[in-house]
Amino acid sequence: MKKIILLQFILTLALVGCNKNDKNSASGDAAFEKLSEEYLKGYLDWRPQSAVALGLHEYDGKLANYSKASIASEVARLKEYEAKFSEIDSASLSTKKYYDWKMLRSNTKNELFSFEDLKIYTKNPMTYAGAIDVNIYIKRNFAPIEQQIKSIIAIENQAPKFYAAAKANLQDSLALPHIQLAIQIARGSAAFLGKDLLLALKDVKNDALMNAFNRANKKAIDAINDYANFLEKEKLGKANTKYAIGKENYQKMLLYGEGITMSAEAILAIGMKELQKEQTAFNAAAKIINPNKNPVDVYNDMQKEHPTVMSLIPDARKNLEAIRQFLIDNKIITIPSEVRVKVEETPPFARETSTASMDTPGPFETKATEAYYYITPVDPKWTPQQQEDWLASFNFYTTDVVSIHEAYPGHYTQFLHLNASDASKVQKIFGSYAYIEGWAHYTEKMMLDAGYGNSGDPVKAAKFRLAQSGDALLRICRLCVSIKTHCYGMNVDEATNFFMKNWYQGDKPSRQEALRGTYDPGYLFYTLGKLQILKLREDYKKQEGNSYSLQKFNDAMLDNGMMPIQMMREVLLKDKKTWNEIL
């Protein structure tokens, strides 16, 4: 579920009291529903590309308007609805509407936080770099290709005006990593339009339509390259290193994004403790495999057990079915559909930025309903060593762990449950970062704890555990680096060294992770969400006693929308005193 909605910090506050008098709430619900629909329409009107990703195709061909006047208008609208939602008497709402109210009230606060505190439209050039994104019109067939091309043309024709607004909005001095990454993204976006998009449309025979497309495509490419040139010529020389959002904003991110009141300092302490714990588990698994070697060397040896160039996709497809059957046989979670995710090669236009990913349709999509688990194949143009390195990253054990995260019971299973549930429109539009990625990360450990990969051979079981532990170390390092970067002044070089020392990888992948931390402080939510879910499971198990089962808990986690885990505690736990205990 790597969609646009994953980059919005979707929110809740720790607000009081859940009304249980559903029979007396009809009038309150009606008034709130009207207000809610008004808010959602304005929200999506200003974010048309997000709406298309959700499956709302009345927004096809539309591009966001980021002019100063439009931004000011959206800020005013958000403040208006923040006030209106605050005036709602929560006691007048049914339970379901109460949680919608909490999510919408929080959403307005978080959006205003992005506009006014983080200043993403004036301080971060990455906001605009990849905005002319037309991938969805070629990777999902929700309309005839001619209609899809018309949508692409409409978007591309708006590119010059869009980037003129971007240049006018950005402040004089910007953070160096953000400028560099924005240039890289913009150049990549222009290259995609000039190469991969053309390749995807090469068989279209409508000459008049393609002539119009080629004109619009050139216009968009020129506008994007002009933006990259602008950043290189006008901004690099004035760059600063002020990319940290600061402690105060970090606490707002935690509160508005996930309803978390714990201090960043306390979370960092937990993260450092988890890092030591996971490194111990990593070393223990390596010792079972080969007690006479350094654990990192054991890990590198394990990676040599990988598929061939030809068997990469078939092996992943075969193992994915085995993982799904394990869930059923061991009653891990309910699979609410017989429809399988399709395992395919990553489309050529997406291979530069993806190794493996899940592409599910939006919750309101009615036509292009296929879901794809993409795996990027070996490029025959690579050197033998590059091919070997790539296949090593898809060793048999890591690939299964990735498949668990992306498909069963990770993101694809999240999607199936969301579609099968009675989640409201609000709950289908907005999703918590910690819930979405925390769940997928939680499932990696949960599955191995339930016995996956353990068929009686302790060495093989240890290899699965080593692969899972290696991925966990990456996510824990993200948590620590996020807080150290944005609250305590850690720079990119120091963050790179932290990843190298504690994740056991080289400079290039470690530096990429460090750079991501400069613009995505929320990547701590992979680990934090996982820890929240484990704590919630522990409390739920105590509450349910003899009626507890892992399947019962996992189903409950996926059948209540994508709300923040703090809010999920309110839904699943009866003891209100435990609602604010996150770890």
PDB file of all heavy atoms in Angstrom, residues 286-308:
ATOM      1  N   ALA A 286      22.721 -16.174  14.017  1.00  0.00           N
ATOM      2  CA  ALA A 286      23.942 -16.447  13.255  1.00  0.00           C
ATOM      3  C   ALA A 286      24.764 -17.558  13.914  1.00  0.00           C
ATOM      4  O   ALA A 286      25.360 -18.397  13.220  1.00  0.00           O
ATOM      5  CB  ALA A 286      24.774 -15.179  13.130  1.00  0.00           C
ATOM      6  N   LYS A 287      24.773 -17.586  15.233  1.00  0.00           N
ATOM      7  CA  LYS A 287      25.550 -18.601  15.960  1.00  0.00           C
ATOM      8  C   LYS A 287      25.007 -19.996  15.706  1.00  0.00           C
ATOM      9  O   LYS A 287      25.760 -20.968  15.632  1.00  0.00           O
ATOM     10  CB  LYS A 287      25.541 -18.283  17.452  1.00  0.00           C
ATOM     11  CG  LYS A 287      26.447 -19.189  18.283  1.00  0.00           C
ATOM     12  CD  LYS A 287      26.502 -18.743  19.732  1.00  0.00           C
ATOM     13  CE  LYS A 287      27.452 -19.639  20.532  1.00  0.00           C
ATOM     14  NZ  LYS A 287      27.518 -19.224  21.957  1.00  0.00           N
ATOM     15  N   ILE A 288      23.686 -20.117  15.571  1.00  0.00           N
ATOM     16  CA  ILE A 288      23.085 -21.420  15.270  1.00  0.00           C
ATOM     17  C   ILE A 288      23.521 -21.894  13.889  1.00  0.00           C
ATOM     18  O   ILE A 288      23.812 -23.080  13.682  1.00  0.00           O
ATOM     19  CB  ILE A 288      21.545 -21.331  15.332  1.00  0.00           C
ATOM     20  CG1 ILE A 288      21.086 -21.059  16.764  1.00  0.00           C
ATOM     21  CG2 ILE A 288      20.897 -22.613  14.805  1.00  0.00           C
ATOM     22  CD1 ILE A 288      19.606 -20.756  16.891  1.00  0.00           C
ATOM     23  N   ILE A 289      23.624 -20.971  12.957  1.00  0.00           N
ATOM     24  CA  ILE A 289      23.997 -21.312  11.585  1.00  0.00           C
ATOM     25  C   ILE A 289      25.470 -21.696  11.502  1.00  0.00           C
ATOM     26  O   ILE A 289      25.838 -22.717  10.906  1.00  0.00           O
ATOM     27  CB  ILE A 289      23.692 -20.144  10.644  1.00  0.00           C
ATOM     28  CG1 ILE A 289      22.186 -19.826  10.662  1.00  0.00           C
ATOM     29  CG2 ILE A 289      24.141 -20.461   9.212  1.00  0.00           C
ATOM     30  CD1 ILE A 289      21.824 -18.499  10.031  1.00  0.00           C
ATOM     31  N   ASN A 290      26.326 -20.875  12.086  1.00  0.00           N
ATOM     32  CA  ASN A 290      27.764 -21.171  12.088  1.00  0.00           C
ATOM     33  C   ASN A 290      28.415 -20.486  13.284  1.00  0.00           C
ATOM     34  O   ASN A 290      28.676 -19.277  13.238  1.00  0.00           O
ATOM     35  CB  ASN A 290      28.423 -20.699  10.794  1.00  0.00           C
ATOM     36  CG  ASN A 290      29.859 -21.179  10.656  1.00  0.00           C
ATOM     37  OD1 ASN A 290      30.539 -21.446  11.644  1.00  0.00           O
ATOM     38  ND2 ASN A 290      30.325 -21.301   9.420  1.00  0.00           N
ATOM     39  N   PRO A 291      28.663 -21.212  14.358  1.00  0.00           N
ATOM     40  CA  PRO A 291      29.210 -20.592  15.575  1.00  0.00           C
ATOM     41  C   PRO A 291      30.654 -20.142  15.437  1.00  0.00           C
ATOM     42  O   PRO A 291      31.178 -19.439  16.307  1.00  0.00           O
ATOM     43  CB  PRO A 291      29.090 -21.721  16.601  1.00  0.00           C
ATOM     44  CG  PRO A 291      29.126 -22.983  15.794  1.00  0.00           C
ATOM     45  CD  PRO A 291      28.424 -22.649  14.508  1.00  0.00           C
ATOM     46  N   ASN A 292      31.314 -20.497  14.329  1.00  0.00           N
ATOM     47  CA  ASN A 292      32.736 -20.195  14.165  1.00  0.00           C
ATOM     48  C   ASN A 292      32.998 -18.964  13.303  1.00  0.00           C
ATOM     49  O   ASN A 292      34.137 -18.634  13.023  1.00  0.00           O
ATOM     50  CB  ASN A 292      33.451 -21.400  13.545  1.00  0.00           C
ATOM     51  CG  ASN A 292      33.337 -22.635  14.413  1.00  0.00           C
ATOM     52  OD1 ASN A 292      33.524 -22.561  15.626  1.00  0.00           O
ATOM     53  ND2 ASN A 292      33.013 -23.763  13.793  1.00  0.00           N
ATOM     54  N   LYS A 293      31.919 -18.288  12.893  1.00  0.00           N
ATOM     55  CA  LYS A 293      32.080 -17.121  12.031  1.00  0.00           C
ATOM     56  C   LYS A 293      31.475 -15.885  12.672  1.00  0.00           C
ATOM     57  O   LYS A 293      30.575 -15.975  13.508  1.00  0.00           O
ATOM     58  CB  LYS A 293      31.404 -17.359  10.668  1.00  0.00           C
ATOM     59  CG  LYS A 293      32.270 -18.082   9.652  1.00  0.00           C
ATOM     60  CD  LYS A 293      31.669 -17.956   8.261  1.00  0.00           C
ATOM     61  CE  LYS A 293      32.633 -18.458   7.189  1.00  0.00           C
ATOM     62  NZ  LYS A 293      32.101 -18.228   5.831  1.00  0.00           N
ATOM     63  N   ASN A 294      31.985 -14.740  12.234  1.00  0.00           N
ATOM     64  CA  ASN A 294      31.389 -13.469  12.635  1.00  0.00           C
ATOM     65  C   ASN A 294      29.940 -13.422  12.137  1.00  0.00           C
ATOM     66  O   ASN A 294      29.660 -13.820  11.006  1.00  0.00           O
ATOM     67  CB  ASN A 294      32.197 -12.322  12.008  1.00  0.00           C
ATOM     68  CG  ASN A 294      31.664 -10.960  12.392  1.00  0.00           C
ATOM     69  OD1 ASN A 294      30.626 -10.539  11.891  1.00  0.00           O
ATOM     70  ND2 ASN A 294      32.385 -10.275  13.254  1.00  0.00           N
ATOM     71  N   PRO A 295      28.990 -12.936  12.976  1.00  0.00           N
ATOM     72  CA  PRO A 295      27.579 -12.921  12.575  1.00  0.00           C
ATOM     73  C   PRO A 295      27.320 -12.220  11.244  1.00  0.00           C
ATOM     74  O   PRO A 295      26.477 -12.668  10.460  1.00  0.00           O
ATOM     75  CB  PRO A 295      26.900 -12.196  13.735  1.00  0.00           C
ATOM     76  CG  PRO A 295      27.748 -12.517  14.920  1.00  0.00           C
ATOM     77  CD  PRO A 295      29.153 -12.530  14.395  1.00  0.00           C
ATOM     78  N   VAL A 296      28.028 -11.122  10.984  1.00  0.00           N
ATOM     79  CA  VAL A 296      27.818 -10.411   9.724  1.00  0.00           C
ATOM     80  C   VAL A 296      28.280 -11.270   8.545  1.00  0.00           C
ATOM     81  O   VAL A 296      27.641 -11.281   7.476  1.00  0.00           O
ATOM     82  CB  VAL A 296      28.540  -9.053   9.730  1.00  0.00           C
ATOM     83  CG1 VAL A 296      28.376  -8.351   8.379  1.00  0.00           C
ATOM     84  CG2 VAL A 296      27.999  -8.163  10.843  1.00  0.00           C
ATOM     85  N   ASP A 297      29.360 -12.003   8.718  1.00  0.00           N
ATOM     86  CA  ASP A 297      29.827 -12.901   7.657  1.00  0.00           C
ATOM     87  C   ASP A 297      28.830 -14.031   7.420  1.00  0.00           C
ATOM     88  O   ASP A 297      28.611 -14.452   6.274  1.00  0.00           O
ATOM     89  CB  ASP A 297      31.195 -13.479   8.019  1.00  0.00           C
ATOM     90  CG  ASP A 297      32.287 -12.426   8.028  1.00  0.00           C
ATOM     91  OD1 ASP A 297      32.140 -11.418   7.302  1.00  0.00           O
ATOM     92  OD2 ASP A 297      33.275 -12.591   8.781  1.00  0.00           O
ATOM     93  N   VAL A 298      28.227 -14.517   8.489  1.00  0.00           N
ATOM     94  CA  VAL A 298      27.189 -15.545   8.354  1.00  0.00           C
ATOM     95  C   VAL A 298      26.014 -14.985   7.552  1.00  0.00           C
ATOM     96  O   VAL A 298      25.448 -15.654   6.683  1.00  0.00           O
ATOM     97  CB  VAL A 298      26.713 -16.036   9.743  1.00  0.00           C
ATOM     98  CG1 VAL A 298      25.531 -16.998   9.603  1.00  0.00           C
ATOM     99  CG2 VAL A 298      27.851 -16.695  10.495  1.00  0.00           C
ATOM    100  N   TYR A 299      25.657 -13.755   7.851  1.00  0.00           N
ATOM    101  CA  TYR A 299      24.564 -13.080   7.142  1.00  0.00           C
ATOM    102  C   TYR A 299      24.890 -12.952   5.657  1.00  0.00           C
ATOM    103  O   TYR A 299      24.053 -13.229   4.790  1.00  0.00           O
ATOM    104  CB  TYR A 299      24.344 -11.703   7.776  1.00  0.00           C
ATOM    105  CG  TYR A 299      23.184 -10.907   7.236  1.00  0.00           C
ATOM    106  CD1 TYR A 299      21.875 -11.325   7.427  1.00  0.00           C
ATOM    107  CD2 TYR A 299      23.399  -9.707   6.565  1.00  0.00           C
ATOM    108  CE1 TYR A 299      20.800 -10.579   6.949  1.00  0.00           C
ATOM    109  CE2 TYR A 299      22.331  -8.950   6.085  1.00  0.00           C
ATOM    110  CZ  TYR A 299      21.038  -9.392   6.280  1.00  0.00           C
ATOM    111  OH  TYR A 299      19.986  -8.645   5.808  1.00  0.00           O
ATOM    112  N   ASN A 300      26.132 -12.564   5.348  1.00  0.00           N
ATOM    113  CA  ASN A 300      26.534 -12.419   3.954  1.00  0.00           C
ATOM    114  C   ASN A 300      26.551 -13.770   3.237  1.00  0.00           C
ATOM    115  O   ASN A 300      26.177 -13.864   2.067  1.00  0.00           O
ATOM    116  CB  ASN A 300      27.916 -11.766   3.880  1.00  0.00           C
ATOM    117  CG  ASN A 300      27.899 -10.315   4.326  1.00  0.00           C
ATOM    118  OD1 ASN A 300      26.868  -9.646   4.243  1.00  0.00           O
ATOM    119  ND2 ASN A 300      29.025  -9.822   4.813  1.00  0.00           N
ATOM    120  N   ASP A 301      26.963 -14.815   3.943  1.00  0.00           N
ATOM    121  CA  ASP A 301      26.942 -16.158   3.354  1.00  0.00           C
ATOM    122  C   ASP A 301      25.512 -16.599   3.043  1.00  0.00           C
ATOM    123  O   ASP A 301      25.255 -17.219   2.005  1.00  0.00           O
ATOM    124  CB  ASP A 301      27.592 -17.170   4.306  1.00  0.00           C
ATOM    125  CG  ASP A 301      29.113 -17.023   4.387  1.00  0.00           C
ATOM    126  OD1 ASP A 301      29.692 -16.359   3.499  1.00  0.00           O
ATOM    127  OD2 ASP A 301      29.704 -17.560   5.342  1.00  0.00           O
ATOM    128  N   MET A 302      24.612 -16.299   3.949  1.00  0.00           N
ATOM    129  CA  MET A 302      23.212 -16.670   3.756  1.00  0.00           C
ATOM    130  C   MET A 302      22.648 -16.040   2.488  1.00  0.00           C
ATOM    131  O   MET A 302      21.846 -16.651   1.772  1.00  0.00           O
ATOM    132  CB  MET A 302      22.393 -16.229   4.967  1.00  0.00           C
ATOM    133  CG  MET A 302      20.911 -16.568   4.894  1.00  0.00           C
ATOM    134  SD  MET A 302      19.936 -15.615   6.076  1.00  0.00           S
ATOM    135  CE  MET A 302      19.904 -13.994   5.298  1.00  0.00           C
ATOM    136  N   GLN A 303      23.084 -14.823   2.201  1.00  0.00           N
ATOM    137  CA  GLN A 303      22.557 -14.111   1.033  1.00  0.00           C
ATOM    138  C   GLN A 303      22.972 -14.758  -0.291  1.00  0.00           C
ATOM    139  O   GLN A 303      22.386 -14.476  -1.329  1.00  0.00           O
ATOM    140  CB  GLN A 303      22.997 -12.655   1.073  1.00  0.00           C
ATOM    141  CG  GLN A 303      22.346 -11.859   2.202  1.00  0.00           C
ATOM    142  CD  GLN A 303      22.735 -10.394   2.162  1.00  0.00           C
ATOM    143  OE1 GLN A 303      23.915 -10.045   2.139  1.00  0.00           O
ATOM    144  NE2 GLN A 303      21.741  -9.527   2.139  1.00  0.00           N
ATOM    145  N   LYS A 304      23.976 -15.627  -0.237  1.00  0.00           N
ATOM    146  CA  LYS A 304      24.410 -16.316  -1.460  1.00  0.00           C
ATOM    147  C   LYS A 304      23.430 -17.403  -1.877  1.00  0.00           C
ATOM    148  O   LYS A 304      23.505 -17.917  -3.001  1.00  0.00           O
ATOM    149  CB  LYS A 304      25.802 -16.906  -1.258  1.00  0.00           C
ATOM    150  CG  LYS A 304      26.883 -15.859  -1.017  1.00  0.00           C
ATOM    151  CD  LYS A 304      28.231 -16.499  -0.705  1.00  0.00           C
ATOM    152  CE  LYS A 304      29.281 -15.432  -0.396  1.00  0.00           C
ATOM    153  NZ  LYS A 304      30.580 -16.044  -0.006  1.00  0.00           N
ATOM    154  N   GLU A 305      22.514 -17.756  -0.993  1.00  0.00           N
ATOM    155  CA  GLU A 305      21.485 -18.752  -1.311  1.00  0.00           C
ATOM    156  C   GLU A 305      20.294 -18.021  -1.935  1.00  0.00           C
ATOM    157  O   GLU A 305      19.384 -17.578  -1.244  1.00  0.00           O
ATOM    158  CB  GLU A 305      21.058 -19.505  -0.041  1.00  0.00           C
ATOM    159  CG  GLU A 305      22.180 -20.259   0.632  1.00  0.00           C
ATOM    160  CD  GLU A 305      21.698 -20.953   1.895  1.00  0.00           C
ATOM    161  OE1 GLU A 305      20.612 -21.570   1.869  1.00  0.00           O
ATOM    162  OE2 GLU A 305      22.404 -20.872   2.920  1.00  0.00           O
ATOM    163  N   HIS A 306      20.335 -17.890  -3.246  1.00  0.00           N
ATOM    164  CA  HIS A 306      19.321 -17.068  -3.904  1.00  0.00           C
ATOM    165  C   HIS A 306      18.860 -17.712  -5.203  1.00  0.00           C
ATOM    166  O   HIS A 306      19.517 -18.628  -5.728  1.00  0.00           O
ATOM    167  CB  HIS A 306      19.867 -15.666  -4.160  1.00  0.00           C
ATOM    168  CG  HIS A 306      21.115 -15.633  -4.996  1.00  0.00           C
ATOM    169  ND1 HIS A 306      21.147 -15.994  -6.332  1.00  0.00           N
ATOM    170  CD2 HIS A 306      22.393 -15.272  -4.686  1.00  0.00           C
ATOM    171  CE1 HIS A 306      22.371 -15.856  -6.810  1.00  0.00           C
ATOM    172  NE2 HIS A 306      23.150 -15.424  -5.835  1.00  0.00           N
ATOM    173  N   PRO A 307      17.746 -17.258  -5.741  1.00  0.00           N
ATOM    174  CA  PRO A 307      17.262 -17.789  -7.016  1.00  0.00           C
ATOM    175  C   PRO A 307      18.153 -17.362  -8.170  1.00  0.00           C
ATOM    176  O   PRO A 307      19.041 -16.523  -8.019  1.00  0.00           O
ATOM    177  CB  PRO A 307      15.862 -17.191  -7.139  1.00  0.00           C
ATOM    178  CG  PRO A 307      15.919 -15.944  -6.331  1.00  0.00           C
ATOM    179  CD  PRO A 307      16.837 -16.233  -5.182  1.00  0.00           C
ATOM    180  N   THR A 308      17.877 -17.922  -9.332  1.00  0.00           N
ATOM    181  CA  THR A 308      18.578 -17.517 -10.546  1.00  0.00           C
ATOM    182  C   THR A 308      17.835 -16.347 -11.187  1.00  0.00           C
ATOM    183  O   THR A 308      16.743 -15.968 -10.752  1.00  0.00           O
ATOM    184  CB  THR A 308      18.638 -18.675 -11.551  1.00  0.00           C
ATOM    185  OG1 THR A 308      17.296 -18.987 -11.975  1.00  0.00           O
ATOM    186  CG2 THR A 308      19.274 -19.910 -10.923  1.00  0.00           C
TER     187      THR A 308
END
